[in-house]
Amino acid sequence: ISPEKAFEVYQLGMKKNPKSAALASKTGKALIKSHYYFKAISYYEAALKTEQLHFLRYDLAELLMKMKQFERCEKVLHEALDHGVLSDDCRYLVLLAKIQNKVDKKEEALLTLERARDVQAKVLKRVQLEQPDVVSMQKQRAAEICAEIAKHYTSQRGYERAVKFYKEALVYCETDCKVMLELAQLYLNLDEVDACQQQCSAILKRDKFNEEATLMMADIMYRKQDYEQVVLHFEQLLEHKPDNYPTLSRLIDLLRRAGKLEEIPRFLDMAEKHSSRAKFDPGFNYCKGLYLWFTGRPNEALQHFNKARKDNDWGQNAVYNMIEIYLNPDNDTMGGRSKQESEQLAVRTAEKLLKEIKPQTPGGHVQLRILENYCLITAKQKAKVERAVGILTEIVNKEMDHVPAMLALATAYMMLKQTPRARNLLKRISKMNWSIVDADEFEKSWLLLADIYVHSGKYDMATELLKRCLGHNKSCCKAYEYLGFIMEKELSFHDAALNYEKAWKYGNQNNATIGYKLAFNYLKAKKYIDAIDVCHKVLAVHPNYPKMRKDILDKARASLRS
């Protein structure tokens, strides 16, 4: 039976029995299924004049929300709450909070949810005495409200409060796998590894093939520096399903942090062998793009991200990565004293790509605004950078300890040569607890602060920060490069060469500047054959690289002969 036909049948039924709640509800739903939305609104509004059908307010509010008529929806919900029944109030409040979130009334949404939680606690007390058969359903609703409050705090980075509400949700429903996973993820973000492991173990006891819990367990093993276990966890998932690209993308990031980039190609090969269509798959292209980006091949990475760009699942992250590459192709310390002037064309391309981003969460909206301001900063025009400072200051004042916003603001201050202001912000970040959510921003903050210390001769303070970078990411070329520079300044050419060697290795032997520095320090450390070898590699790609032949190659050859 078609929705239109059903509507006619229900209408006839309503004429015979105008007070039937079940029929009234079905009639409205049949109109919605037939896409007669405005007709459905009129139907609900007429039905609400009948006292017995007041419960239809919820259906009307849901429809208005679907149609993005948020103001009307709020009005209907407030009317419902003015003369509602206690057990209904909760549903209305949860829906009202959703609307308030959509229209950016974050604080009001939180207050509404907390009110819903109090109402639900009263409902639970009552049903335990009067209707014991519905207790478990009402407990489920209480758990959902607490989890919603926790999500709100998580999006505002109030992680400790979020933990409190997830725990409260589990008091109501101790086996709710979804809540357990969200709490485990939160513990992981807070670097509370043992608490996360406890949650994951409890989940895996009930569901031993739970992918998210398995992935988090791998994350935990990584933090405990048990890399063999990490790869084992991922191998089990990927051997079972080599085209599990969300897992593969996580593994690529973990192997980068473990300094084992050379292990990634075999997993990409496994996926290609598994399916002849792999190289057309957006997920595969995204993963390949990540690997190429992490190994210092930005142009090839862009080509692969571009193939994932229009996909529903991978597109948004691919676009974010493309923007980052366009704004900083050589992965320099933005705001540091790098010599390279950013190409204006690249900035314009990044600005075009920004229009493709459609954030779905409050955090996503903030991330987009930060990227927009990086475009202003990278343009390197004083008026634009000052505009970015204004906007970013507003975000930093509004968001609690928002590392990406603080880093962007510090970068803008560096562009304006306001180093003390940048340093104060970066020192604030350096005192905060590291979290995997902002791992890359923490790394960039420490690198920028290290850059400031290096240029003011505070080598010990810089070294401490650089070692911290390498503690969290053993493939961090920039940290090795700065350490090499410090050792070189201290005339410790052998140690400088060891650090430049790692920077050269993790940059996939692509960066000519690092190649030059490595060859120079080999020369100074009297490792002439090694110096000659690196010179050949650089000159094969950059035949006219300045001073390479005269300063290093010729001198190394002459030293060998003598």
Side-chain angles (χ1 to χ4, degrees):
I1 185 168
S2 70
E4 286 95 336
K5 191 75 191 147
F7 172 63
E8 286 169 25
V9 173
Y10 297 143
Q11 255 195 327
L12 283 170
M14 285 296 288
K15 277 179 185 161
K16 289 177 188 167
N17 188 358
K19 292 178 183 175
S20 164
L23 272 175
S25 181
K26 283 176 178 174
T27 308
K29 288 195 166 78
L31 280 169
I32 293 168
K33 273 188 183 161
S34 310
H35 304 294
Y36 295 141
Y37 299 130
F38 291 104
K39 226 177 189 176
I41 290 173
S42 306
Y43 164 76
Y44 283 135
E45 285 175 340
L48 284 171
K49 290 176 179 145
T50 312
E51 195 52 43
Q52 285 86 346
L53 302 180
H54 65 84
F55 68 90
L56 288 175
R57 273 185 216 284
Y58 190 85
D59 295 2
L60 172 59
E62 262 194 329
L63 176 57
L64 290 168
M65 180 170 83
K66 187 178 178 180
M67 294 178 70
K68 296 191 166 53
Q69 295 195 18
F70 299 135
E71 257 182 69
R72 271 177 88 181
C73 180
E74 260 194 271
K75 188 167 173 272
V76 167
L77 289 167
H78 282 301
E79 280 168 9
L81 288 163
D82 286 344
H83 40 75
V85 183
L86 191 64
S87 57
D88 287 340
D89 277 4
C90 212
R91 288 167 75 220
Y92 289 128
L93 286 164
V94 171
L95 190 58
L96 179 59
K98 265 189 200 165
I99 294 291
Q100 289 167 331
N101 258 325
K102 282 184 188 292
V103 295
D104 219 22
K105 296 181 180 174
K106 302 284 179 287
E107 298 312 312
E108 285 180 43
L110 181 59
L111 291 171
T112 304
L113 283 169
E114 288 178 341
R115 191 174 146 202
R117 167 182 167 251
D118 297 342
V119 168
Q120 189 59 17
K122 287 177 191 163
V123 170
L124 256 173
K125 263 186 192 163
R126 188 179 292 178
V127 296
Q128 276 164 339
L129 298 169
E130 297 169 12
Q131 295 166 279
D133 53 323
V134 298
V135 167
S136 71
M137 187 188 82
Q138 294 294 350
K139 276 188 172 178
Q140 183 62 43
R141 187 175 286 176
E144 282 164 11
I145 293 166
C146 291
E148 209 46 58
I149 295 173
K151 273 185 210 151
H152 184 95
Y153 278 116
T154 303
S155 77
Q156 302 288 314
R157 292 163 183 263
Y159 297 131
E160 273 75 16
R161 301 296 307 273
V163 167
K164 172 181 175 282
F165 283 102
Y166 276 130
K167 282 183 171 171
E168 190 176 317
L170 288 171
V171 169
Y172 292 119
C173 286
E174 57 197 43
T175 60
D176 189 319
C177 185
K178 192 166 169 283
V179 171
M180 289 164 87
L181 276 170
E182 283 166 8
L183 177 57
Q185 185 61 60
L186 192 53
Y187 279 137
L188 194 60
N189 294 351
L190 286 165
D191 218 16
E192 291 183 21
V193 179
D194 294 334
C196 175
Q197 192 166 356
Q198 212 177 337
Q199 287 297 322
C200 289
S201 300
I203 295 163
L204 291 167
K205 251 184 208 164
R206 292 193 179 85
D207 170 12
K208 70 173 186 174
F209 294 113
N210 187 294
E211 195 174 303
E212 285 180 72
T214 308
L215 286 173
M216 274 191 252
M217 276 300 219
D219 252 349
I220 291 163
M221 297 307 162
Y222 160 73
R223 291 180 194 213
K224 293 186 170 176
Q225 301 199 324
D226 188 347
Y227 300 124
E228 305 309 313
Q229 278 297 316
V230 173
V231 178
L232 197 69
H233 272 285
F234 279 110
E235 264 177 344
Q236 284 168 349
L237 284 174
L238 289 168
E239 270 160 15
H240 170 62
K241 197 169 176 253
D243 59 351
N244 182 340
Y245 297 121
T247 298
L248 182 53
S249 67
R250 292 277 293 281
L251 174 61
I252 289 169
D253 189 51
L254 286 178
L255 287 171
R256 166 179 73 128
R257 296 186 174 285
K260 293 178 182 287
L261 286 167
E262 67 281 359
E263 289 191 21
I264 295 169
R266 85 183 160 98
F267 291 102
L268 291 167
D269 290 344
M270 257 165 62
E272 277 199 81
K273 284 186 184 122
H274 174 73
S275 158
S276 59
R277 296 205 50 75
K279 51 170 65 85
F280 303 107
D281 191 294
F284 177 79
N285 277 294
Y286 181 84
C287 292
K288 187 90 185 261
L290 272 188
Y291 169 64
L292 292 163
W293 187 20
F294 292 158
T295 50
R297 287 176 277 178
N299 292 332
E300 291 170 74
L302 280 172
Q303 288 167 15
H304 285 277
F305 285 138
N306 199 35
K307 288 176 185 170
R309 185 176 133 207
K310 299 291 183 194
D311 183 70
N312 283 342
D313 296 324
W314 298 96
Q316 295 285 287
N317 282 339
V319 173
Y320 274 122
N321 293 345
M322 288 174 80
I323 291 167
E324 285 207 32
I325 292 172
Y326 277 119
L327 293 180
N328 190 10
D330 298 320
N331 207 11
D332 278 319
T333 305
M334 279 183 89
R337 280 91 171 155
S338 90
K339 302 286 174 287
Q340 240 171 344
E341 282 301 310
S342 173
E343 292 280 335
Q344 291 312 305
L345 177 67
V347 177
R348 282 202 293 276
T349 309
E351 284 168 346
K352 272 186 203 152
L353 284 168
L354 278 171
K355 295 185 172 69
E356 292 182 21
I357 292 175
K358 305 280 181 281
Q360 301 300 314
T361 61
H365 283 284
V366 176
Q367 190 183 3
L368 177 58
R369 286 182 72 200
I370 291 169
L371 270 180
E372 286 166 352
N373 284 288
Y374 269 121
C375 285
L376 292 174
I377 295 165
T378 315
K380 294 187 177 173
Q381 293 164 15
K382 192 167 183 255
K384 284 187 175 180
V385 181
E386 283 172 346
R387 197 161 98 224
V389 164
I391 299 165
L392 290 164
T393 303
E394 202 182 293
I395 297 173
V396 167
N397 291 339
K398 195 175 166 193
E399 302 283 333
M400 287 191 287
D401 290 340
H402 196 291
V403 178
M406 289 160 76
L407 168 63
L409 181 54
T411 307
Y413 281 141
M414 288 301 287
M415 291 287 184
L416 293 172
K417 311 261 188 301
Q418 297 179 10
T419 307
R421 284 182 160 179
R423 188 178 55 229
N424 289 341
L425 267 173
L426 295 165
K427 279 166 89 171
R428 227 174 96 192
I429 297 172
S430 74
K431 292 186 177 111
M432 287 162 65
N433 288 335
W434 180 89
S435 82
I436 200 151
V437 178
D438 296 323
D440 289 339
E441 282 78 12
F442 272 107
E443 183 179 300
K444 287 170 187 169
S445 303
W446 299 336
L447 287 170
L448 184 50
L449 186 53
D451 183 272
I452 292 170
Y453 287 148
V454 163
H455 285 88
S456 51
K458 295 175 178 170
Y459 294 151
D460 289 351
M461 290 163 91
T463 300
E464 189 267 317
L465 286 164
L466 296 167
K467 285 186 173 162
R468 204 189 295 182
C469 286
L470 293 169
H472 289 285
N473 176 9
K474 290 181 172 51
S475 303
C476 181
C477 296
K478 214 70 205 162
Y480 290 120
E481 192 184 340
Y482 278 120
L483 284 170
F485 177 83
I486 291 168
M487 303 297 175
E488 193 181 324
K489 284 283 175 204
E490 292 175 344
L491 306 181
S492 177
F493 301 115
H494 180 75
D495 291 334
L498 286 175
N499 282 293
Y500 284 131
E501 228 169 67
K502 286 181 177 164
W504 179 239
K505 173 194 167 185
Y506 290 118
N508 211 38
Q509 303 191 352
N510 275 333
N511 188 315
T513 312
I514 292 172
Y516 178 89
K517 290 174 181 175
L518 174 59
F520 176 79
N521 281 277
Y522 276 151
L523 179 72
K524 290 286 189 184
K526 299 186 168 49
K527 295 172 87 170
Y528 304 124
I529 293 171
D530 290 332
I532 291 166
D533 181 43
V534 175
C535 284
H536 284 315
K537 282 179 179 161
V538 173
L539 293 168
V541 186
H542 307 274
N544 302 314
Y545 196 81
K547 300 183 181 176
M548 197 94 196
R549 284 178 202 281
K550 192 167 160 244
D551 284 10
I552 303 174
L553 188 58
D554 295 346
K555 284 181 183 172
R557 280 173 175 160
S559 299
L560 264 182
R561 280 196 289 272
S562 65

